Amino acid sequence: MTGGTKRCISVSTLAEAEFYASGGFDDITYAYPLSPDKVPQASQLLVRLEKFHVLVDNYVILDALTASPPKGKKWSVFLKVNCGYNRGKLWF
């Protein structure tokens, strides 16, 4: 499904992200809204991987991300917006 590469995958838990990172994947999207308690683990993945993307759905998590930016890396953030009917839309 990745065309023979170890890039461009989405996961629903940080444990899955750790698993795939250990398997050589280096472009992973955590496709579930990040919570402040998970920022330290996500930060470690950001430093470890070539590309690590997170999903946010409120300003509280943005404050948590900007409070402790990893050295030498920038967060790649997708904004999830609930447009009604509990369906989300992603903004880059």
Side-chain angles (χ1 to χ4, degrees):
M1 293 186 346
T2 61
T5 70
K6 292 193 173 194
R7 306 187 56 74
C8 301
I9 63 167
S10 295
V11 297
S12 59
T13 68
L14 290 177
E16 288 176 325
E18 295 280 357
F19 173 82
Y20 284 107
S22 294
F25 283 80
D26 65 354
D27 183 356
I28 299 173
T29 301
Y30 177 47
Y32 188 81
L34 189 63
S35 57
D37 63 309
K38 292 186 168 85
V39 170
Q41 186 179 5
S43 183
Q44 290 174 350
L45 284 161
L46 177 62
V47 170
R48 179 178 174 189
L49 299 170
E50 184 176 330
K51 293 182 182 180
F52 183 67
H53 318 278
V54 295
L55 185 74
V56 300
D57 62 357
N58 63 70
Y59 68 90
V60 172
I61 189 61
L62 287 176
D63 289 343
L65 292 177
T66 57
S68 58
K71 293 186 182 203
K73 291 282 201 154
K74 291 184 180 182
W75 288 104
S76 174
V77 176
F78 293 91
L79 174 63
K80 181 180 179 189
V81 178
N82 187 340
C83 298
Y85 305 108
N86 293 321
R87 294 187 177 192
K89 209 173 209 27
L90 296 180
W91 298 92
F92 310 79

